[in-house]
Amino acid sequence: MVQKYQSPVRVYKHPFELVMAAYERRFPTCHLIPMFVASDVISEEKSDDDSTHRIERRCKLDIDAPRLLKRIAGVDYVYFVQKNTLNRRERTLHIESHNETFSNRVIIHEQCCYSVHPENEGWTCFEQSASLDIKSFFGFESTVEKIAMKQYANSIKKGKEIIEYYLHELEDEGTTHVPRWSPRPASPVKPVTPNTHSTTLPTMPAVALPATPDDKLDADYINRYLGDLTPLQESCLIRLRSWLQETHKGKIPKDQHILRFLRARDFNLDKARETLCQSLTWRKQHQVDYLLDTWTSPQVLLDYYTGGWHHHDRDGRPLYILRLGQMDTKGLVRALGEESLLRHVLSINEEGLRRCEENTKVFGRPISCWTCLVDLEGLNMRHLWRPGVKALLRIIEVVEANYPETLGRLLILRAPRVFPVLWTLVSPFIDENTRKKFLIYAGNDYQGPGGLLDYIDREIIPDFLGGECMCEVPEGGLVPKSLYRTPEELENDDIRLWTETIYQSASVFKGAPHELLIEIIDASSVITWDFDVCKGDVIFNIYHSKRAPAPPKKDPLGAHGITSPGGNNVQLIDKSWQLGQDYSMVESPLTCKEGESVQGSHVTRWPGFYILQWKFHSMPACAATNLPRVDDVLATLQVSSHKCKVMYYTEVLGSEDFRYTAPFYTPVIHTGYHEISTVALR
C-alpha cells in the first residue's frame, strides 16, 4: 500500500540567494545531522552562463532502526540517490531523492523545492512531499513503515532548524545579502570530477506541491491559527484540503473546520473525508451557513430556554452556561416541537464557532472549541419525560455528526441522584472522545481543588453558583400551558422548518436518468445550477428543444417557469426523440464523482425548453483498482450499485443580474463548467 506524506509550505523570511548560501553550508558535513554519514558525487554539471547547476550524489545514512532488523536485512547503512537542480535564473532549487538500498522491496520517493514566495520576493518557500510503497520486507512491513514515518517527521522538523541555524551563522559573520544571478559571458561546459568528500542529506521521503498563492500553509500560520500538529497530521490536513479543492470546485470550508473532522477520526483520512462530505451536504441542504442570519428564536425560547454565552474560561474558550435543571423540557417541546429546539441548538453551535474565531484573534493563539457549564440543580424525574429525552437524543445525534471536536470541556455541576438515570440514557449516543471531556461534580463541592476555579476565573463565576458575576441566562420556569400547541400544529411546523430549503433531491437509476425542465422565454438568460452528488457517479448534460418533451405544468411565479412533474425520479425525453433532430446538446457532458459539489451556468442562445439531465455513470470494473485510495472513498462500491442520488438547486436569471456568493466557502462561479472569480463580474 502506498503511503503519501505532504508537509505544509515552510516560509523563510529571507531572500532566496541567502537561503541557498545557508543550504550550501550543510556540505560537506553537517554536525546537526548525526544520521548522515557520507556521500559521493556521482555527476555534476553547470550551464554555460552558470544559471543552472545540476549535481547528483549517493548518500549514506545510518537509519535509526532496531539492530535486530538491520541484522535480518543484512545492512548497517541505507543509501539514497539525490538529484539537485539549482536554477539561479528562475530562483528555484528542486531536490529529488530515492532509495537505492532495498529498492526491490521498498520504494521511497521524495521531492522538495525551494522557491521565491509568490507574494513577497524577499521571502523563500520550501515545499516537501513523499511517497512510501512497501512491497515486502522480510515480514517487517509494519515496522519499516513506522521507522520511515518517524524519520520523515524528524527530517521535516530538523530541516528548517538547520537552515535557520546557518542563516543566523551567516548573519553573525556579517553576511546579510547575496546578490542575485546575472548573465555573464558563456564558457564551455566542463564535466566536474566527482569529489568523494562532498556530502549532502536527502531530507527523507516525499511529491512536490504546487505553488500556493498565499502563505496559509506556512508553519507560522499553522501554529498561530490551528495549533500544534505533527508533520503527518499537517500532511493529512493538506491532502484533504487539496482533495476538497478538486472535488468541490474551489468551494471548501476553512482549515479549522476540516481539522475538526480529522481530529474526530484520529486523522484517518478516508473516514474524515466521508463524514466531512456528509456534513457539507447536510449544511447545504438545510442552509445552515445562513442560520445566524435567518433564524429568529421564538419568544418562548428567549423567556424559558435557560442557556446563554457568558465570557470565557481560563484557556480563552467561549463559555456557554446551561441551567438544565431549571428548564421545562416538556413545556418547550410541547410549545415548540423537536425541530425548533434543534434549530436553536444549531444556532448556538454556529455562534460558538464564530466566537472561537474572534477569541483566536483576541488571544493570539488557536481556539477551536468552547467550554460548556451545565448546572443540574432542580433536575428531577419530570426531565425524563420520554418525548423530551427523544428530542435530546436527536439533538445529540445531529451535533455529534456535524460539530465534532467543538466541545473542549463540559463541566456538570450539582448532579442530583436522578442524574445517573439520565446519563445511562444519553451516554451511548455520545462519542467516546467527547465523553472524556466531561467533568461531573455532585452536590455543592465544586469550588475546591480540582473544581470550578481550575477552569473559570473567580470574577466570572455566575451569581447562582455562589459567584459575584451577574449572569444573563434566563432563570427558566414552567412554560404556560396556554403556549402549548397541538400535535398537528407541531408536525406542520417541523415539516416547514426542514423543507424550507432551496435544494431538491432526486434518484438516478441505471437506465432511468433524472431530468429537469426549464422553460426560457427570453434569450440570453442565464441558467445556474448547484448540485451535490450524494451517492454514485453521474453524467450531467444540458439539452435544448423547441417544444416541451411533455405538457409541463407552468410555474405561476413568472415568465421563467421551472417545471418538475413531481416524484423522486423524472424522465422527460421521450425514447422516440432523436438527438440532433428533436433536441440538441448545448454543453459538453460532465462526469461527476460521488462527493463532488458542482456549480455552473449556461447563457441561453434561444428561447424554448432546456432539459438538465443527471444520468447514471457506469464505471468499468477494472477502473476501481487503479484509482488512488486518497481520491475515491467508496470507489469499489460503485461498481455494483445501480442507484445514484443528487441534491440540486437551479435558478434562471437575467444576464445583468447574474451573481453568486457563498459566505461559508470561497466565492466561486462556474460559467459553462469554467471557473471564474466573482471580481470579474463586478
Side-chain angles (χ1 to χ4, degrees), residues 446-496:
Y446 54 82
Q447 291 198 19
L452 197 58
L453 287 175
D454 286 356
Y455 308 105
I456 301 175
D457 290 332
R458 183 182 299 275
E459 56 269 20
I460 68 168
I461 294 180
D463 51 352
F464 61 85
L465 292 176
E468 299 179 355
C469 185
M470 296 299 295
C471 185
E472 297 181 358
V473 174
E475 295 183 0
L478 295 176
V479 177
K481 291 186 178 181
S482 60
L483 298 178
Y484 286 10
R485 309 184 69 186
T486 65
E488 292 77 14
E489 290 175 328
L490 293 176
E491 182 179 358
N492 290 335
D493 279 353
D494 289 348
I495 294 174
R496 177 184 57 80

Coordinates of all heavy atoms in Angstrom, one line a residue, residues 446-496:
Y446 N -17.9 21.9 44.4 CA -17.4 22.1 43.1 C -16.5 23.3 43.0 O -16.0 23.7 41.9 CB -18.6 22.3 42.1 CG -19.6 23.4 42.4 CD1 -19.3 24.8 42.1 CD2 -20.7 23.1 43.1 CE1 -20.2 25.8 42.5 CE2 -21.6 24.1 43.4 CZ -21.4 25.4 43.1 OH -22.2 26.4 43.4
Q447 N -16.2 24.0 44.1 CA -15.3 25.1 44.0 C -14.0 24.9 44.7 O -13.1 25.8 44.8 CB -16.0 26.4 44.7 CG -17.1 26.9 43.9 CD -17.5 28.3 44.3 OE1 -16.7 29.0 44.9 NE2 -18.7 28.7 43.9
G448 N -13.8 23.7 45.2 CA -12.5 23.4 45.9 C -11.4 23.0 44.9 O -11.5 23.3 43.7
P449 N -10.3 22.4 45.4 CA -9.2 21.9 44.5 C -9.8 21.0 43.4 O -10.5 20.1 43.7 CB -8.3 21.2 45.4 CG -8.6 21.8 46.8 CD -10.0 22.1 46.8
G450 N -9.4 21.2 42.2 CA -9.8 20.4 41.1 C -11.2 20.8 40.6 O -11.8 20.1 39.8
G451 N -11.8 21.8 41.2 CA -13.2 22.2 40.9 C -13.3 23.3 39.9 O -12.4 23.5 39.0
L452 N -14.3 24.1 40.0 CA -14.6 25.1 39.0 C -13.5 26.2 38.9 O -13.3 26.6 37.7 CB -15.9 25.8 39.5 CG -16.7 26.6 38.4 CD1 -17.0 25.8 37.2 CD2 -18.0 27.2 39.0
L453 N -12.9 26.5 40.0 CA -11.9 27.6 39.9 C -10.6 27.2 39.1 O -9.8 28.0 38.7 CB -11.4 28.0 41.3 CG -12.4 28.8 42.1 CD1 -12.0 29.1 43.5 CD2 -12.7 30.1 41.4
D454 N -10.5 25.9 38.8 CA -9.4 25.5 38.0 C -9.6 25.8 36.5 O -8.7 25.8 35.7 CB -9.1 24.0 38.1 CG -8.5 23.6 39.4 OD1 -8.2 24.5 40.2 OD2 -8.4 22.4 39.7
Y455 N -10.8 26.1 36.2 CA -11.2 26.3 34.8 C -11.8 27.7 34.5 O -11.8 28.1 33.3 CB -12.2 25.2 34.3 CG -11.7 23.8 34.6 CD1 -12.2 23.1 35.7 CD2 -10.7 23.2 33.9 CE1 -11.8 21.8 36.0 CE2 -10.2 21.9 34.2 CZ -10.8 21.2 35.3 OH -10.3 20.0 35.6
I456 N -12.3 28.3 35.5 CA -13.0 29.6 35.3 C -12.5 30.6 36.4 O -12.4 30.2 37.5 CB -14.5 29.4 35.4 CG1 -15.1 28.4 34.4 CG2 -15.3 30.8 35.2 CD1 -16.5 28.1 34.5
D457 N -12.2 31.8 35.9 CA -11.8 32.8 36.9 C -12.9 33.1 37.9 O -14.1 33.1 37.5 CB -11.4 34.1 36.1 CG -10.1 33.9 35.3 OD1 -9.2 33.0 35.7 OD2 -9.9 34.5 34.3
R458 N -12.5 33.4 39.1 CA -13.4 33.7 40.2 C -14.4 34.8 39.8 O -15.6 34.8 40.1 CB -12.7 34.0 41.5 CG -13.6 34.2 42.7 CD -12.7 34.5 43.9 NE -11.8 33.5 44.2 CZ -12.1 32.4 45.0 NH1 -13.4 32.3 45.4 NH2 -11.2 31.5 45.2
E459 N -13.8 35.9 39.2 CA -14.6 37.0 38.9 C -15.8 36.8 37.9 O -16.6 37.7 37.8 CB -13.8 38.2 38.5 CG -12.9 38.0 37.3 CD -11.6 37.4 37.6 OE1 -11.4 36.9 38.8 OE2 -10.6 37.6 36.8
I460 N -15.8 35.7 37.2 CA -16.9 35.5 36.2 C -17.8 34.3 36.6 O -18.6 33.9 35.9 CB -16.3 35.3 34.8 CG1 -15.6 33.9 34.7 CG2 -15.5 36.4 34.3 CD1 -15.3 33.5 33.3
I461 N -17.6 33.8 37.8 CA -18.5 32.7 38.3 C -19.8 33.3 38.5 O -20.0 34.3 39.2 CB -17.9 32.1 39.6 CG1 -16.6 31.3 39.3 CG2 -19.0 31.1 40.2 CD1 -16.0 30.7 40.5
P462 N -20.9 32.7 37.9 CA -22.3 33.3 38.0 C -22.7 33.4 39.4 O -22.3 32.6 40.3 CB -23.1 32.4 37.2 CG -22.1 31.7 36.3 CD -20.9 31.6 37.0
D463 N -23.6 34.3 39.6 CA -24.2 34.5 41.0 C -24.9 33.3 41.5 O -24.9 33.0 42.7 CB -25.1 35.8 41.0 CG -26.1 35.8 39.9 OD1 -26.0 34.9 39.0 OD2 -27.0 36.6 39.9
F464 N -25.6 32.6 40.6 CA -26.4 31.5 41.1 C -25.5 30.3 41.5 O -26.0 29.3 42.0 CB -27.5 31.1 40.1 CG -26.9 30.6 38.7 CD1 -26.5 29.3 38.5 CD2 -26.8 31.5 37.7 CE1 -26.0 28.9 37.3 CE2 -26.3 31.1 36.5 CZ -25.9 29.8 36.3
L465 N -24.2 30.4 41.2 CA -23.3 29.4 41.6 C -22.4 29.9 42.7 O -21.3 29.3 43.0 CB -22.4 28.9 40.4 CG -23.1 28.1 39.3 CD1 -22.2 27.8 38.2 CD2 -23.7 26.9 39.9
G466 N -22.8 30.9 43.4 CA -22.0 31.4 44.5 C -21.0 32.5 44.1 O -20.2 33.0 45.0
G467 N -21.0 32.9 42.9 CA -20.0 34.0 42.4 C -20.7 35.3 42.5 O -21.8 35.5 43.0
E468 N -19.9 36.3 42.0 CA -20.4 37.7 42.1 C -20.7 38.3 40.7 O -21.1 39.5 40.6 CB -19.3 38.6 42.8 CG -19.0 38.2 44.2 CD -17.9 39.1 44.8 OE1 -17.4 39.9 44.1 OE2 -17.6 38.9 46.0
C469 N -20.6 37.5 39.7 CA -20.9 38.0 38.3 C -22.4 37.8 38.0 O -22.9 36.7 38.1 CB -20.0 37.2 37.3 SG -20.1 37.9 35.7
M470 N -23.0 38.8 37.5 CA -24.4 38.7 37.1 C -24.4 38.0 35.8 O -23.7 38.3 34.8 CB -25.0 40.1 37.0 CG -25.1 40.9 38.3 SD -26.1 40.0 39.5 CE -27.7 40.1 38.7
C471 N -25.3 37.0 35.7 CA -25.4 36.2 34.5 C -26.8 36.4 33.8 O -27.8 36.4 34.5 CB -25.3 34.7 34.9 SG -25.3 33.6 33.4
E472 N -26.8 36.6 32.5 CA -28.0 37.0 31.8 C -28.8 35.8 31.3 O -29.7 35.9 30.6 CB -27.7 37.9 30.6 CG -27.1 39.2 31.1 CD -26.8 40.1 29.9 OE1 -27.0 39.7 28.7 OE2 -26.3 41.3 30.1
V473 N -28.3 34.6 31.7 CA -29.0 33.4 31.3 C -30.4 33.4 32.0 O -30.5 33.6 33.2 CB -28.3 32.1 31.7 CG1 -29.1 30.9 31.4 CG2 -26.9 32.1 31.0
P474 N -31.5 33.2 31.2 CA -32.9 33.2 31.8 C -33.0 32.1 32.9 O -32.3 31.1 32.9 CB -33.8 32.8 30.6 CG -33.0 33.2 29.4 CD -31.5 33.0 29.7
E475 N -33.8 32.5 33.9 CA -34.0 31.5 35.0 C -34.9 30.4 34.7 O -35.0 29.4 35.5 CB -34.5 32.3 36.2 CG -33.5 33.4 36.8 CD -34.0 34.1 38.0 OE1 -35.2 33.7 38.4 OE2 -33.3 34.9 38.5
G476 N -35.6 30.5 33.6 CA -36.5 29.4 33.2 C -37.8 29.4 33.9 O -38.5 30.4 34.0
G477 N -38.3 28.3 34.4 CA -39.6 28.1 35.0 C -40.5 27.4 34.0 O -40.1 27.0 32.9
L478 N -41.7 27.1 34.5 CA -42.7 26.3 33.7 C -43.2 27.1 32.6 O -43.6 28.3 32.7 CB -43.8 25.8 34.6 CG -43.4 24.8 35.7 CD1 -44.6 24.5 36.6 CD2 -42.8 23.6 35.2
V479 N -43.3 26.5 31.4 CA -43.9 27.1 30.2 C -45.4 27.1 30.4 O -45.9 26.0 30.6 CB -43.4 26.4 28.9 CG1 -44.1 27.0 27.7 CG2 -41.9 26.5 28.7
P480 N -46.1 28.2 30.3 CA -47.6 28.2 30.4 C -48.2 27.3 29.4 O -47.8 27.2 28.3 CB -48.0 29.7 30.2 CG -46.7 30.4 30.5 CD -45.6 29.6 30.1
K481 N -49.2 26.5 29.9 CA -49.8 25.6 29.0 C -50.6 26.3 27.9 O -50.9 25.6 26.9 CB -50.8 24.7 29.8 CG -50.0 23.7 30.8 CD -51.0 22.8 31.5 CE -50.2 21.8 32.3 NZ -51.1 20.8 33.0
S482 N -50.9 27.5 28.1 CA -51.6 28.3 27.1 C -50.7 28.4 25.8 O -51.2 28.7 24.7 CB -52.0 29.7 27.6 OG -50.8 30.4 27.9
L483 N -49.4 28.2 25.9 CA -48.5 28.3 24.8 C -48.3 26.9 24.1 O -47.7 26.8 23.1 CB -47.1 28.8 25.2 CG -47.1 30.2 25.8 CD1 -45.7 30.6 26.3 CD2 -47.6 31.2 24.8
Y484 N -48.9 25.9 24.7 CA -48.8 24.5 24.1 C -49.5 24.5 22.8 O -50.5 25.2 22.6 CB -49.4 23.4 25.0 CG -48.5 23.1 26.2 CD1 -47.4 23.9 26.6 CD2 -48.9 22.0 27.0 CE1 -46.7 23.6 27.7 CE2 -48.1 21.7 28.1 CZ -47.1 22.5 28.5 OH -46.3 22.2 29.6
R485 N -49.0 23.7 21.8 CA -49.6 23.6 20.5 C -50.0 22.1 20.3 O -49.5 21.2 20.9 CB -48.6 24.0 19.4 CG -48.0 25.4 19.7 CD -47.1 25.9 18.6 NE -47.9 26.2 17.4 CZ -47.3 26.5 16.3 NH1 -46.0 26.6 16.2 NH2 -48.0 26.8 15.2
T486 N -51.0 22.0 19.4 CA -51.5 20.6 19.1 C -50.4 19.8 18.4 O -49.5 20.4 17.7 CB -52.8 20.7 18.3 OG1 -52.4 21.2 17.0 CG2 -53.8 21.5 19.0
P487 N -50.5 18.5 18.4 CA -49.5 17.7 17.7 C -49.5 18.0 16.2 O -48.5 17.9 15.5 CB -50.0 16.2 18.0 CG -50.7 16.3 19.3 CD -51.3 17.7 19.3
E488 N -50.7 18.3 15.6 CA -50.8 18.6 14.2 C -50.1 19.9 13.9 O -49.4 20.0 12.9 CB -52.3 18.7 13.8 CG -53.1 17.4 13.8 CD -53.5 17.0 15.3 OE1 -53.4 17.8 16.2 OE2 -53.9 15.8 15.5
E489 N -50.2 20.9 14.8 CA -49.6 22.1 14.5 C -48.0 22.0 14.6 O -47.3 22.5 13.8 CB -50.0 23.2 15.5 CG -51.4 23.7 15.4 CD -51.9 24.6 16.5 OE1 -51.4 24.4 17.6 OE2 -52.7 25.5 16.2
L490 N -47.6 21.2 15.6 CA -46.1 20.9 15.7 C -45.6 20.2 14.5 O -44.5 20.5 14.1 CB -45.9 20.2 17.0 CG -46.2 20.9 18.3 CD1 -45.9 20.0 19.5 CD2 -45.3 22.2 18.4
E491 N -46.4 19.2 14.1 CA -45.9 18.4 12.9 C -45.8 19.3 11.7 O -44.8 19.2 10.9 CB -46.9 17.2 12.7 CG -46.4 16.3 11.5 CD -47.4 15.2 11.3 OE1 -48.4 15.1 12.1 OE2 -47.1 14.4 10.4
N492 N -46.7 20.1 11.5 CA -46.7 21.0 10.3 C -45.5 22.0 10.4 O -44.8 22.3 9.4 CB -48.0 21.8 10.2 CG -49.2 21.0 9.8 OD1 -49.0 19.9 9.2 ND2 -50.4 21.4 10.2
D493 N -45.2 22.5 11.6 CA -44.1 23.4 11.8 C -42.8 22.6 11.6 O -41.8 23.2 11.0 CB -44.1 23.9 13.2 CG -45.0 25.1 13.4 OD1 -45.5 25.6 12.3 OD2 -45.2 25.6 14.5
D494 N -42.7 21.4 12.0 CA -41.5 20.6 11.8 C -41.2 20.4 10.3 O -40.1 20.5 9.8 CB -41.6 19.2 12.5 CG -41.5 19.4 14.1 OD1 -41.1 20.5 14.5 OD2 -41.8 18.4 14.8
I495 N -42.3 20.0 9.6 CA -42.2 19.8 8.2 C -41.7 21.1 7.5 O -40.9 21.1 6.6 CB -43.5 19.3 7.6 CG1 -43.8 17.9 8.1 CG2 -43.4 19.3 6.1 CD1 -45.1 17.4 7.7
R496 N -42.3 22.2 7.9 CA -42.0 23.5 7.3 C -40.5 23.9 7.5 O -39.8 24.4 6.6 CB -42.9 24.6 7.9 CG -42.6 26.0 7.4 CD -43.4 27.1 8.0 NE -43.3 27.0 9.5 CZ -42.3 27.6 10.2 NH1 -41.3 28.2 9.5 NH2 -42.2 27.5 11.5

